[in-house]
Amino acid sequence: MFEPIARFFSAKPPEVLPYYVAGAVLFSILMIFVLINLPSRARKPLIALVTFLAGLFYATEFFFPIDRATNKNFLTDYLVPASKLGSLLGGMTLTLGILSLLRVHGRNIARLRAGWYNSVALLVAMVSMVTFGLMDKYGANDGAKKVFNVLFEGMLINMDATMFSLIAFYIVSASYRAFRIRSIEATILMVTAFLVMLGQVPVGNALTDWLPQDGTFASLRVENIKQWILSQVNAAALRAIAFGLGVGGLAISLRIWLSLERGAYFEKEI
Amino acid sequence: MATTPGTSAPRDIWDRLQAIDRRVLYVLLLVVIILPLFVPIRLPMVTMPSTQKLYQAVESIPEGGYVIVSTTWSGGTRAENMPQTEAILRHLMKRRLRVAVFSFDQQGSQFSYNIASRVARDFGYEYGKDWVHWGFRPVAGVVMKSLVRDIPGTFTTDRDGKPTKDMPVMQGIKDIKDVDAIVEIAASGIYMDWIGLVVGANPKLKFGFCPTAVMAPETYPYMDSGQIVGIMEGMRGAAEYEQLVNTVGLATKGMGSISLAHVLIMLLIIVGNVGYIVTRARRS
Amino acid sequence: MDALWQDILARPAIYAGAICTLGLMTLIYRENAVYRFFEHVFIGLAAGFSIVVLIKEILDPFLYQPVFKKGEWYWTFVFMFGLLFYFIHSRKYNWLSRLPIGFLMGFSAGQAFQGFANTYLPQLARSFRPLFVTTPDGSWDAAAGINNLIFMIVLVTVMSYFFFSFEQKSRVIRNSAQFGRWVMMVAFGAIFGTTIMARMALLFDRMYFLFSDWLRLVR
């Protein structure tokens, strides 16, 4: 019964391929046109159906018994195509914000708003990265590869690292200003933080370096105290929190899958 | 310059202790970070059990074993994740294990390719024969579900678009049961996906995790349960691992600066609290 | 001057990185025009890199190669479906973007069952620990037993803090929740301690880059 469908969706030879691709594009455009004209009341059920079917695939693949002879169930062979589908779809979200960027900064430049030159810099940087980034792979020009290296390794990565490193200044200032032993909780937090901080830097380790490596007194070495805090108290406390998060996460996943989730995004009129 | 929140002017030394100007703090921080670059501080470093366990796990992989290294990090956490990536690759290549690298992060893909190429040159590793880079793959869950069942099918091409099926490094690799270990170097909670979707599928599989230091405490429950065999905790973990594989990298060089920065922060917190306690005692 | 130019031409990426690093670092003094300029350049480069990755590492291997090299024409449908994401910019038809978004959310929701079972069941199993522990030679390991007891007390009290978060009349539960709150502070203190390490490492990396890679003052 499914054989003609499978044959239709099989790989095609080069001589007929353009027709199939063009047909798929035309069909998709037609479907988009149909979707655009879909009545409002049918939209949410359609989204719910798409979400449910996507979730059903992985849920069924997990719950459905596996044939011991083949170590598979009827969905196992579709995991690879599903991963490619997910990668292609997920990858297409990478550039979702670009149109907004172009619109906002294009407007800044066209109206010569304050700081318009920054918008020019942004667009020049973007175009340069795209041009040389693609030439790096598809071109054979060594100069282009060097420019890409300057843009990626030289500029992008260093700026990314710098942006994050700025937090170091703020964390010093914030620790100094906000860390006050106003309560038992704050005192416990500070004492633990100090012990962990001492335990993870060599200068802290040096403080108790005179204690023996083994035996009862070894437990008092600062790195061992830190290790005990992390592996006994911290691990148990975070495991308890993780149990709560896990159950909550599962409940939310179930609600999303069945389109029962509420909130601004899910309840908005469409 | 020094003012107490809620008041217009500083009153006495105890108030001043609580309100040191931020620019003074910034300069102090820069000094303690930069100074050890010129006056190196050499202090003994103890290897933590979490790092030791990861090292032992790699040591226990049989010769010619297969290891997947995933690098889900970007430039923002380069300081921690780059030395981790380099240290673990050095160990794997030193042990002559087959290595497959890929990334769930777009920058991480380029980074890991550059680092792996450099380390591979040092150890005479040949691309396609001894190691391969599978490139960038978004949407981690679907990729993990797929690689459990079919690795060559999931990664049909490498990051340059070359087919992987004929590469010698992929020979004999069908699914997760053929993989000895997975090491994830990440700045995110992706280890949960590995544990949830991959780790249980092969009971012999060793899963090592190299998080940023800030994430390390949350991973301890999983090391306790054996779902993670070992953890390389941020730059400190990388420095310990560098020591274990006999190399001096960025992490080892940074320990002096980071030690002093910790001392500075602790001193500042103490100073602020001394001012706070004395002020409070006087008021009461 | 010639030597400087030669050095710049020999190491353009390092010089570019140093200028960008210093430009962004001016923020620690205060918000300024130099910082804003480099901030815009950074956003532009990051956005451009996303386009490069989309083409090089997504569209090429997952669309162009399968469709035009292997004849797997049906991936065209997935691409067209993915284009619906971009309707998010349309005021009138942005609901169309919810179709692929819902699809990806469904994918991840469907995996949640397996994720939950494989992640938390071994955790649960490892939470029940023996209080009487013996060493391999058969003698009593008191320290391990005490550690196990502490572990379980912490686990139970933190859970009681969350499970009984509403007002409790039972003193036992109240005290247990209070203790749970305290031990959570130990965990948060540990996280704070490691956060300092993480942030300082990032700043060290920048200083090392400037003084070693760029200025070559440090080896």
Side-chain angles (χ1 to χ4, degrees), chain A residues 56-90:
Chain A
L56 188 66
F57 171 74
Y58 281 111
T60 312
E61 192 278 332
F62 175 59
F63 286 117
F64 204 84
I66 281 175
D67 178 9
R68 286 194 186 280
T70 58
N71 196 26
K72 287 177 181 179
N73 64 27
F74 74 106
L75 286 175
T76 306
D77 285 338
Y78 297 99
L79 285 173
V80 170
S83 91
K84 291 182 177 173
L85 191 157
S87 292
L88 180 52
L89 266 189

Side-chain angles (χ1 to χ4, degrees), chain A residues 209-226:
Chain A
D209 208 30
W210 52 276
L211 283 168
Q213 297 270 6
D214 300 302
T216 314
F217 288 106
S219 321
L220 297 174
R221 289 174 72 100
V222 75
E223 67 272 17
N224 291 340
I225 295 175
K226 176 218 162 187

Side-chain angles (χ1 to χ4, degrees), chain B residues 47-48 58 80 107 111 140 143 145 152 160 164 175 195 198 256 261:
Chain B
T47 305
M48 286 185 288
V58 174
E80 298 191 275
Q107 285 186 16
F111 262 127
V143 178
K145 282 288 293 175
D160 292 325
T164 54
D175 55 33
I195 290 170
V198 181

